[in-house]
Amino acid sequence: MGQTISEKIISNHVGKKVYAGELVVSEVDGCMASDTTGPLTIKAFHEMGGKKVFNPDKCALIIDHAAPSPNERIANLHKMMRDFAKEQGMRLFEIGEGICHQVMVENAYVKPGDIFIGADSHTPTYGALNAFACGVGSTDLAATMMTGKIWLKVPQTIQINCSGKLQEGVTAKDLILFLVGKVTVSGATYQAIEFTGEAFEGLSLASRMTIANMSSEMGAKTGIVHPKGLELDYDFEAITPDEDANYIKTFDFDVSELEPQVSAPESPDNVHNISNYEGTKINYAFIGTCCNGRLEDLDIAAEILKGKKIHPDVRMVIAPASQSVLLDAISNGTMSTLIEAGASLITSGCGPCVGTHQGVPADGEVVISAANRNFRGRMGNPNSNIYLGAPSTVAASALEGQIVNPKKYLV
């Protein structure tokens, strides 16, 4: 019987062929925790009697969620992480260096064919690299840091096949919002997703990261974009599924006529064509996060806003996914364009997405965000309303003060 990509990657790590439903203990190629989960991981590590991490070159801590620290309590948690990293000789990515998932890719902590474990729910982002990556709790991560191993139940796989090419002005974010709406937030619980077909083949690594990232919004254990068309700065051996691989379910969509999409409050799967919500007044526009804070996201926003000013009733916040992205956006003029249009730049990191600080909306305010979640209270205020859209949608909406179709600015 043929194997899926997930089954093949896990098999390569355990030294024998395995299939969905089997329980395995596998070596990992890397692991990480952010400041939301790192302190609990360190505490569990010590409680388990841990002395040394299995390999300091393969373990990382990142301060990105509440960066810089908004209060004394969090400042002390950050200090705990710094002290542990120094003691272990492992890398700690400091305030401003970027979001965990972005810096792990930029610094090659994860590569094609790897198994990577992170104490963050959007760890499946690395599926863009043809890797098996999944999020775990702090205790599981502590055990992985000690042993270099993880136990897994080999997941069943859902295949999502998208034929056709995206229209000009329609982006990977629109595509994944559409798919989340079809699969729903619980439609792939503890299952792997393979994204395959013509629509994905021409996508950049950044766009593939957007796709894999939001497999979490389907409840998936991991999401892997088929490596056909994947271009990296180094040679790699692609892991592809067998023709007779067994899928629990297959979805087929022709996305050649797909329009820009928005996810309306209060769930990522409440997805509609943008025309359903055009004209909705907004107060706050946000571009950033592990889903859409990369250079191509900032560039498309700058393309729309160049030489213009955002609406006087709207504030716009930009959080680049990493310091590297920020520097590139400064070098190519994108950041100047965004700031001149009226946007505010904040620290490279998670920023308003998690809702701890740096941009909590007020009661009754309407947000258009390029993030991945819009559950009630997600940005820190349960009395606000969050719509999700592509960075292009966010920029165009900030310009007009209402949700609008960005295609008229791009075609």
Side-chain angles (χ1 to χ4, degrees):
M1 183 171 66
Q3 291 182 299
T4 64
I5 295 176
S6 293
E7 289 170 339
K8 282 190 173 182
I9 292 175
I10 296 172
S11 294
N12 290 343
H13 283 72
V14 300
K16 64 176 183 177
K17 275 196 173 185
V18 295
Y19 295 90
E22 294 185 47
L23 291 172
V24 301
V25 175
S26 172
E27 292 187 353
V28 304
D29 298 288
C31 61
M32 70 85 192
S34 72
D35 50 331
T36 56
T37 53
L40 290 172
T41 299
I42 293 167
K43 185 172 181 286
F45 183 89
H46 290 313
E47 288 175 349
M48 292 176 184
K51 301 298 181 185
K52 289 290 184 182
V53 298
F54 78 99
N55 185 334
D57 294 331
K58 294 185 176 183
C59 302
L61 296 175
I62 304 97
I63 298 176
D64 61 355
H65 278 64
S69 56
N71 56 51
E72 177 185 1
R73 182 183 67 84
I74 292 177
N76 285 325
L77 294 176
H78 289 176
K79 182 179 184 299
M80 179 197 298
M81 294 174 67
R82 294 183 184 107
D83 290 345
F84 183 78
K86 187 174 182 179
E87 167 197 308
Q88 295 292 328
M90 59 191 283
R91 178 75 184 270
L92 179 132
F93 290 86
E94 262 292 356
I95 290 164
E97 289 196 71
I99 301 172
C100 53
H101 307 306
Q102 183 70 19
V103 298
M104 289 296 94
V105 173
E106 287 179 354
N107 290 273
Y109 274 79
V110 56
K111 292 184 176 181
D114 281 358
I115 291 181
F116 193 96
I117 306 300
D120 184 272
S121 58
H122 286 106
T123 302
T125 301
Y126 314 134
L129 283 169
N130 194 215
F132 182 96
C134 59
V136 298
S138 298
T139 304
D140 281 339
L141 190 73
T144 297
M145 280 190 167
M146 285 177 61
T147 65
K149 297 179 180 180
I150 186 74
W151 74 268
L152 295 167
K153 182 180 181 181
V154 182
Q156 296 173 316
T157 298
I158 294 173
Q159 183 185 62
I160 297 180
N161 178 52
C162 291
S163 60
K165 293 183 178 179
L166 297 178
Q167 298 180 59
E168 190 171 352
V170 179
T171 69
K173 181 59 169 288
D174 297 305
L175 176 56
I176 192 59
L177 285 176
F178 169 77
L179 296 175
V180 171
K182 294 299 183 183
V183 177
T184 78
V185 293
S186 58
T189 301
Y190 207 96
Q191 293 166 345
I193 297 175
E194 280 182 19
F195 299 97
T196 189
E198 182 184 10
F200 302 106
E201 291 169 10
L203 295 182
S204 65
L205 174 60
S207 288
R208 289 165 184 255
M209 289 173 72
T210 296
I211 297 292
N213 178 277
M214 287 195 70
S215 62
S216 299
E217 272 58 67
M218 304 174 186
K221 183 69 174 175
T222 195
I224 302 176
V225 183
H226 193 288
K228 186 174 182 180
L230 176 62
E231 296 182 357
L232 299 174
D233 294 334
Y234 50 85
D235 294 331
F236 66 95
E237 185 176 342
I239 309 294
T240 59
D242 293 325
E243 288 186 6
D244 58 343
N246 183 41
Y247 297 102
I248 188 172
K249 189 181 297 184
T250 296
F251 291 94
D252 291 295
F253 301 106
D254 181 346
V255 296
S256 57
E257 300 298 321
L258 186 69
E259 291 292 317
Q261 305 286 293
V262 292
S263 172
E266 303 166 353
S267 178
D269 63 2
N270 186 14
V271 179
H272 306 268
N273 288 334
I274 198 167
S275 57
N276 290 27
Y277 287 95
E278 282 193 273
T280 301
K281 299 293 184 184
I282 65 164
N283 309 102
Y284 181 177
F286 173 52
I287 296 178
T289 80
C290 58
C291 190
N292 280 115
R294 286 171 278 279
L295 185 63
E296 69 178 30
D297 303 315
L298 305 187
D299 284 348
I300 198 169
E303 180 182 344
I304 290 169
L305 293 173
K306 188 173 181 63
K308 307 180 183 74
K309 291 287 185 181
I310 64 172
H311 193 278
D313 294 335
V314 176
R315 62 191 183 279
M316 187 175 190
V317 174
I318 306 290
S322 71
Q323 188 177 79
S324 176
V325 169
L326 172 59
L327 291 172
D328 287 343
I330 291 171
S331 295
N332 73 4
T334 281
M335 194 52 64
S336 293
T337 297
L338 294 172
I339 292 172
E340 287 166 3
S344 296
L345 172 66
I346 63 172
T347 307
S348 293
C350 300
C353 179
V354 70
T356 47
H357 68 153
Q358 289 194 318
V360 176
D363 290 352
E365 287 195 319
V366 176
V367 183
I368 180 71
S369 169
N372 39 36
R373 288 180 180 165
N374 61 344
F375 299 113
R376 180 132 319 259
R378 172 66 185 179
M379 292 182 71
N381 187 345
N383 299 312
S384 64
N385 294 289
I386 304 168
Y387 291 80
L388 303 178
S392 51
T393 297
V394 175
S397 300
L399 187 61
E400 297 196 19
Q402 59 187 4
I403 294 176
V404 295
N405 190 327
K407 287 179 69 176
K408 62 183 175 181
Y409 295 102
L410 297 169
V411 297

PDB file of all heavy atoms in Angstrom, residues 8 113 190 233:
ATOM      1  N   LYS A   8       5.431   8.925   4.926  1.00  0.00           N
ATOM      2  CA  LYS A   8       6.805   8.732   4.457  1.00  0.00           C
ATOM      3  C   LYS A   8       7.815   9.428   5.368  1.00  0.00           C
ATOM      4  O   LYS A   8       8.862   8.857   5.696  1.00  0.00           O
ATOM      5  CB  LYS A   8       6.940   9.253   3.030  1.00  0.00           C
ATOM      6  CG  LYS A   8       6.381   8.331   1.966  1.00  0.00           C
ATOM      7  CD  LYS A   8       6.780   8.815   0.571  1.00  0.00           C
ATOM      8  CE  LYS A   8       6.365   7.811  -0.491  1.00  0.00           C
ATOM      9  NZ  LYS A   8       6.799   8.243  -1.841  1.00  0.00           N
ATOM     10  N   GLY A 113      11.599  17.373   4.684  1.00  0.00           N
ATOM     11  CA  GLY A 113      11.732  16.014   5.192  1.00  0.00           C
ATOM     12  C   GLY A 113      11.906  15.914   6.690  1.00  0.00           C
ATOM     13  O   GLY A 113      11.933  14.809   7.247  1.00  0.00           O
ATOM     14  N   TYR A 190      -6.834  16.343  14.260  1.00  0.00           N
ATOM     15  CA  TYR A 190      -5.755  15.343  14.358  1.00  0.00           C
ATOM     16  C   TYR A 190      -5.522  14.583  13.044  1.00  0.00           C
ATOM     17  O   TYR A 190      -5.156  13.417  13.020  1.00  0.00           O
ATOM     18  CB  TYR A 190      -5.953  14.341  15.492  1.00  0.00           C
ATOM     19  CG  TYR A 190      -4.610  13.815  15.966  1.00  0.00           C
ATOM     20  CD1 TYR A 190      -3.972  14.370  17.059  1.00  0.00           C
ATOM     21  CD2 TYR A 190      -3.956  12.801  15.267  1.00  0.00           C
ATOM     22  CE1 TYR A 190      -2.718  13.928  17.458  1.00  0.00           C
ATOM     23  CE2 TYR A 190      -2.705  12.353  15.653  1.00  0.00           C
ATOM     24  CZ  TYR A 190      -2.099  12.911  16.746  1.00  0.00           C
ATOM     25  OH  TYR A 190      -0.844  12.476  17.125  1.00  0.00           O
ATOM     26  N   ASP A 233      16.897  28.017  -1.384  1.00  0.00           N
ATOM     27  CA  ASP A 233      18.268  28.447  -1.667  1.00  0.00           C
ATOM     28  C   ASP A 233      19.269  27.306  -1.599  1.00  0.00           C
ATOM     29  O   ASP A 233      20.475  27.528  -1.712  1.00  0.00           O
ATOM     30  CB  ASP A 233      18.691  29.541  -0.678  1.00  0.00           C
ATOM     31  CG  ASP A 233      17.894  30.813  -0.872  1.00  0.00           C
ATOM     32  OD1 ASP A 233      17.402  31.039  -1.998  1.00  0.00           O
ATOM     33  OD2 ASP A 233      17.755  31.579   0.104  1.00  0.00           O
TER      34      ASP A 233
END
